[in-house]
Amino acid sequence: MPVTLAVDAMGGDHGPSVTVPASLRFLEDAPDARVILAGRPDAIEDSLAKEKPNDRLSVQTAAEVVDMDEPPADALRKKKDSSLRVAINLVKDGTADGCVSAGNTGALMAIARFVLKTLPGIDRPAIASQLPTKTGVTTALDLGANVNCTAEQLVQFAVMGSALVAAVDGIDRPTVGLLNIGEEDIKGNDVVKAAAELLKSSGLNFHGNIEGDDIYKGTTDVVVCDGFVGNVALKTSEGLATMLYEFLRAEFTRNPATRIAALFAYPVLMAFKRRIDPRRYNGATLVGLKGVVVKSHGGADALAFRYALDKAHAEVVNGVLERIAQRIAAMPAPAAAPPSVEARPLPNA
Amino acid sequence: MPVTLAVDAMGGDHGPSVTVPASLRFLEDAPDARVILAGRPDAIEDSLAKEKPNDRLSVQTAAEVVDMDEPPADALRKKKDSSLRVAINLVKDGTADGCVSAGNTGALMAIARFVLKTLPGIDRPAIASQLPTKTGVTTALDLGANVNCTAEQLVQFAVMGSALVAAVDGIDRPTVGLLNIGEEDIKGNDVVKAAAELLKSSGLNFHGNIEGDDIYKGTTDVVVCDGFVGNVALKTSEGLATMLYEFLRAEFTRNPATRIAALFAYPVLMAFKRRIDPRRYNGATLVGLKGVVVKSHGGADALAFRYALDKAHAEVVNGVLERIAQRIAAMPAPAAAPPSVEARPLPNA
């Protein structure tokens, strides 16, 4: 079945100068696919004029653009003809099978949730992304959509993450780790402890508690955490990787001798850089919605945005939404509806 | 004034084989200092026999050892003659000015809190540690002692972190960042939002909200967060650094050509490695107690443990405890004792 992706052509720091060439490269390698670019035709035409035409690419006019720092509530209420919203509308009305945006994350989440709604059994959507590990990749969620989660929501994240990994990576029963500050059952806050108990009887392949260093060890296929913790872990990682890269660069450019060493080491350093290239992991999935929505990094270049398009395409082809719905439906019914456990301070010991 | 440090000689993965030589190297460079090794005399003597004697080093017998994975409550109740507890007792009775342990973190915190008590105005102690940044170092707290914090506790962490940095690093008014998932005031959970409001009127040099990547950018001198988030950020950083190091090593040992490149690059790679050597940052401070307590990494070697000793020494010499007490006393009184704000889920938008 041919897949149609809607692209928020105006989103991100670079707009059509990135989204247009990325869409064309994507179409060249996906001969059955179609792309609908949502945005201002004049801006899109400027970028299209530099490229070879492709009749599987079309344009859907959207007069407005959501600013990268615009409050999500404003974008939702006031910009009903934004490129971001028009792209999501194309998914809603069935014209497109999924959409990709490099725009304002909060606005994308708010509008996608408002327009598409969540899947049955899902309280709130989450942001899931692949991260590189020593042994391959892991999928972590939530990375910032939900700052206060209940134990039940963490379980829903686990279900959605498992379904995503099963569908896209072809792992039958992905292992699920619950991000905590110790491996023992007694560690962590009340929400995490309650989530661990629920996960044990969830039917998922629950590995147990994991710690921060397990993310990059690749201890589990899925890493579950609340959005505050996940966002801090992700941003901290970005900051550390940037610092280490700059330190390495500084050492190799310190003096003439180190510059000569850099010449010899250049191919090796480039291989290292390719291996950890964040562009390869671009594209976070907004899971839990009635539609495939992928968020690209705002600063993505055409190569990185292309990876986000590939991700949306793979999710559609592999039926991620159906898989999540099936797994949610297969969850054991909660015994006598346990009360939602919320974060609260421990009594002083 | 000569400084005396009590050392938990048996703590950590390596016990006296690390703590003894590290203490002797420390004494060689600190001619006024004294060290009291708490532990089993036979085990300590074995390690001392391999070293040049120093009459500023003495031994205080402690018959028991707290296991690295022993539940803190058990260590507190049942092991009253452990090396860890004897070292803390030496601080309590004034024999030592501070203590250092590479032992079980939870047990160290529980016993230190029970024996030494917290400073007036401090609800719970926190774990603070220096981290390297692009521009120098930053001090982050809490890194794992408190999994559920109130806004008032986060403010106390800010006060303690500021006092620590002011005393040890000689920065008059350290900048304080509140770790969050966005810089805007509206971002974050309720506890963090309330803490930001309190920090604005705290008299501290409050920079505002920061994100995970600001830690390693060195945006602020102090990074404040709850212990769950801080521990995840720290462990995630350790995992990422290890993975990147292994990837770099793998690329340089891939084949004969890359091994030759590695020879040329060797001095540069070693300079890079020294720059980020985690041993240089070994030694986390348990702040908020009526006594200087420094926790070394359990796997520390003698060089790393030596850094932890230096840290405890510097804190004593620079009067960290007095500085914290002064800053707490100077805090504006809370207006009509605002109720403690606790984490709770946001209503669905």
Side-chain angles (χ1 to χ4, degrees):
Chain A
M1 192 190 71
V3 171
T4 300
L5 295 181
V7 170
D8 168 12
M10 313 303 289
D13 301 340
H14 310 297
S17 69
V18 157
T19 57
V20 167
S23 297
L24 288 164
R25 294 302 90 69
F26 163 72
L27 289 173
E28 285 162 15
D29 290 338
D32 273 354
R34 296 180 171 276
V35 166
I36 306 171
L37 295 167
R40 295 199 344 252
D42 54 339
I44 294 171
E45 289 301 331
D46 282 353
S47 293
L48 276 176
K50 296 169 194 152
E51 302 280 344
K52 202 164 123 227
N54 188 317
D55 61 7
R56 288 178 286 125
L57 188 82
S58 58
V59 175
Q60 176 78 37
T61 298
E64 295 170 310
V65 177
V66 174
D67 297 328
M68 290 303 271
D69 56 358
E70 190 162 348
D74 288 359
L76 177 62
R77 274 195 299 258
K78 298 177 190 164
K79 293 208 171 153
K80 301 210 170 147
D81 195 29
S82 70
S83 56
L84 195 160
R85 184 147 184 174
V86 168
I88 291 173
N89 285 342
L90 289 169
V91 177
K92 173 70 179 173
D93 68 19
T95 310
D97 302 296
C99 74
V100 179
S101 173
N104 182 325
T105 308
L108 182 66
M109 180 56 96
I111 294 171
R113 199 171 157 202
F114 179 80
V115 172
L116 298 174
K117 314 300 180 198
T118 53
L119 287 166
I122 301 294
D123 293 333
R124 294 174 66 106
I127 299 174
S129 187
Q130 278 193 342
L131 297 169
T133 72
K134 282 186 193 178
T135 53
V137 293
T138 189
T139 296
L141 73 169
D142 175 32
L143 295 177
N146 305 284
V147 293
N148 289 304
C149 296
T150 62
E152 288 77 13
Q153 284 171 335
L154 292 177
V155 174
Q156 291 168 16
F157 298 168
V159 172
M160 296 192 288
S162 293
L164 185 63
V165 169
V168 176
D169 301 330
I171 297 172
D172 186 36
R173 280 174 53 73
T175 53
V176 175
L178 183 63
L179 193 57
N180 201 334
I181 63 169
E183 289 171 18
E184 306 83 4
D185 280 356
I186 56 160
K187 289 283 180 74
N189 60 36
D190 294 351
V191 172
V192 171
K193 283 184 208 170
E197 287 308 309
L198 292 174
L199 284 167
K200 282 177 192 169
S201 56
S202 66
L204 296 172
N205 190 359
F206 181 49
H207 169 93
N209 288 326
I210 59 171
E211 296 189 69
D213 53 344
D214 287 303
I215 300 172
Y216 295 103
K217 278 183 191 164
T219 304
T220 56
D221 299 314
V222 178
V223 175
V224 170
C225 55
D226 83 42
F228 194 100
V229 170
N231 188 274
V232 168
L234 183 71
K235 292 267 177 72
T236 300
S237 297
E238 289 174 4
L240 177 59
T242 303
M243 181 185 80
L244 294 178
Y245 180 76
E246 290 186 9
F247 281 180
L248 193 59
R249 187 188 188 88
E251 292 302 336
F252 272 110
T253 55
R254 187 170 291 286
N255 60 45
T258 63
R259 283 172 201 271
I260 290 170
L263 284 182
F264 282 92
Y266 186 78
V268 184
L269 294 173
M270 284 303 105
F272 171 67
K273 199 176 165 188
R274 274 194 301 276
R275 186 158 176 178
I276 59 164
D277 187 347
R279 296 181 298 181
R280 286 175 54 188
Y281 303 97
N282 185 44
T285 305
L286 274 51
V287 285
L289 297 163
K290 289 182 187 164
V292 167
V293 181
V294 169
K295 165 72 173 79
S296 161
H297 198 287
D301 65 9
L303 178 64
F305 196 80
R306 161 69 198 276
Y307 275 105
L309 289 164
D310 287 341
K311 189 156 286 185
H313 185 248
E315 290 179 16
V316 172
V317 168
N318 292 295
V320 165
L321 300 188
E322 294 75 19
R323 296 256 203 162
I324 293 176
Q326 281 164 11
R327 292 211 176 209
I328 287 283
M331 286 284 287
S340 172
V341 177
E342 298 168 3
R344 56 187 168 81
L346 290 171
N348 283 2
Chain B
M1 193 190 72
V3 171
T4 301
L5 295 182
V7 170
D8 168 12
M10 313 303 291
D13 301 340
H14 311 297
S17 69
V18 157
T19 57
V20 167
S23 297
L24 287 165
R25 294 302 90 70
F26 163 71
L27 288 173
E28 285 162 14
D29 290 339
D32 273 354
R34 295 179 173 277
V35 166
I36 307 172
L37 296 167
R40 294 199 346 253
D42 54 338
I44 295 172
E45 288 301 331
D46 282 352
S47 293
L48 276 175
K50 295 169 194 153
E51 302 280 345
K52 202 164 122 226
N54 188 316
D55 62 6
R56 287 179 285 123
L57 188 83
S58 58
V59 175
Q60 177 77 38
T61 298
E64 295 170 309
V65 177
V66 174
D67 298 327
M68 291 303 272
D69 56 358
E70 191 163 346
D74 288 358
L76 178 62
R77 274 195 300 256
K78 299 178 189 164
K79 293 210 172 151
K80 300 210 170 145
D81 196 28
S82 70
S83 57
L84 194 159
R85 184 145 184 175
V86 168
I88 291 172
N89 285 342
L90 289 169
V91 178
K92 172 69 178 173
D93 69 20
T95 309
D97 302 297
C99 74
V100 179
S101 173
N104 180 323
T105 309
L108 182 66
M109 180 56 96
I111 294 171
R113 197 171 159 205
F114 179 79
V115 172
L116 298 173
K117 314 298 179 198
T118 53
L119 288 166
I122 301 294
D123 294 332
R124 296 175 65 107
I127 298 174
S129 187
Q130 278 192 341
L131 297 169
T133 72
K134 282 186 194 179
T135 54
V137 293
T138 189
T139 296
L141 73 171
D142 175 33
L143 295 177
N146 306 283
V147 293
N148 288 304
C149 296
T150 62
E152 290 77 12
Q153 285 172 335
L154 292 177
V155 174
Q156 292 168 14
F157 298 167
V159 172
M160 297 192 288
S162 294
L164 185 64
V165 169
V168 176
D169 302 330
I171 298 171
D172 187 36
R173 282 175 51 75
T175 52
V176 175
L178 183 63
L179 193 56
N180 202 335
I181 62 169
E183 289 171 18
E184 307 83 5
D185 280 356
I186 56 158
K187 289 283 181 74
N189 59 36
D190 294 351
V191 173
V192 170
K193 283 183 208 171
E197 287 308 310
L198 292 173
L199 283 167
K200 283 177 190 168
S201 55
S202 66
L204 296 172
N205 190 0
F206 181 49
H207 169 91
N209 289 326
I210 60 171
E211 297 189 70
D213 53 344
D214 286 303
I215 300 173
Y216 295 104
K217 277 182 191 165
T219 305
T220 57
D221 300 314
V222 179
V223 174
V224 170
C225 55
D226 82 41
F228 194 101
V229 170
N231 188 274
V232 168
L234 184 71
K235 293 267 176 71
T236 301
S237 297
E238 288 174 4
L240 177 60
T242 303
M243 181 185 81
L244 294 178
Y245 179 76
E246 290 185 10
F247 281 0
L248 193 58
R249 187 189 189 87
E251 293 301 336
F252 271 111
T253 55
R254 185 170 293 285
N255 60 45
T258 63
R259 284 172 200 272
I260 290 170
L263 284 181
F264 281 92
Y266 186 78
V268 184
L269 294 173
M270 284 303 104
F272 171 67
K273 198 175 165 188
R274 274 194 302 277
R275 187 158 175 178
I276 59 163
D277 187 348
R279 296 181 298 181
R280 287 174 55 188
Y281 303 96
N282 185 42
T285 304
L286 274 52
V287 286
L289 297 163
K290 289 181 186 166
V292 167
V293 180
V294 169
K295 165 73 174 78
S296 160
H297 198 287
D301 64 9
L303 177 64
F305 196 79
R306 162 67 198 278
Y307 275 104
L309 289 164
D310 286 342
K311 188 156 286 185
H313 185 247
E315 290 180 18
V316 172
V317 168
N318 291 295
V320 165
L321 301 188
E322 296 74 19
R323 297 256 204 160
I324 293 176
Q326 281 165 11
R327 292 211 176 208
I328 287 283
M331 287 284 288
S340 173
V341 177
E342 299 167 4
R344 59 186 168 80
L346 290 171
N348 283 2

